[in-house]
Amino acid sequence: MKASLALSFSWTKPSSMPLKFTSALTDSIIRIEVGGNIMVMHTYPGMADAVAACLDSMKQEGVLGCVAGDDTILVVAADNETAQRLSESIRRTLGNL
């Protein structure tokens, strides 16, 4: 029997985050793509690690983990719907994608 997760995301920039980190997060993400339960975030070179660390610190329900390279982050979600909702929430919040 397949379990169904009904998760709702409200991804916002944490108010306790220092301005330099908020700026790094919002100004670093170039593109977001989703395939199944995998979300791929593209950043400017050298920024993926910082963005992934921010995502990890937010402890979003349904996010199993992040792996960052130089300019790409692989985000593994619990299921397809979770990955899609998270990407849509981040796009709405950032407004520039």
Side-chain angles (χ1 to χ4, degrees):
M1 176 179 222
K2 185 177 178 181
S4 176
L5 292 176
L7 300 175
S8 174
F9 288 100
S10 179
W11 194 84
T12 57
K13 295 174 275 189
S15 59
S16 62
M17 186 181 294
L19 182 58
K20 64 182 176 181
F21 295 128
T22 302
S23 177
L25 179 65
T26 60
D27 294 341
S28 298
I29 300 172
I30 299 171
R31 185 172 76 247
I32 299 173
E33 299 172 293
V34 177
N37 70 319
I38 305 291
M39 180 174 70
V40 178
M41 301 175 77
H42 300 274
T43 69
Y44 291 105
M47 296 304 299
D49 190 47
V51 173
C54 179
L55 289 172
D56 284 340
S57 72
M58 297 173 76
K59 300 183 191 308
Q60 290 286 323
E61 185 178 351
V63 175
L64 303 178
C66 299
V67 178
D70 182 55
D71 62 358
T72 305
I73 305 163
L74 179 72
V75 181
V76 180
D79 58 37
N80 300 1
E81 291 178 19
T82 301
Q84 190 63 42
R85 285 189 197 126
L86 180 61
S87 72
E88 290 169 1
S89 182
I90 292 172
R91 284 184 180 117
R92 277 192 310 272
T93 301
L94 298 181
N96 61 350
L97 302 177

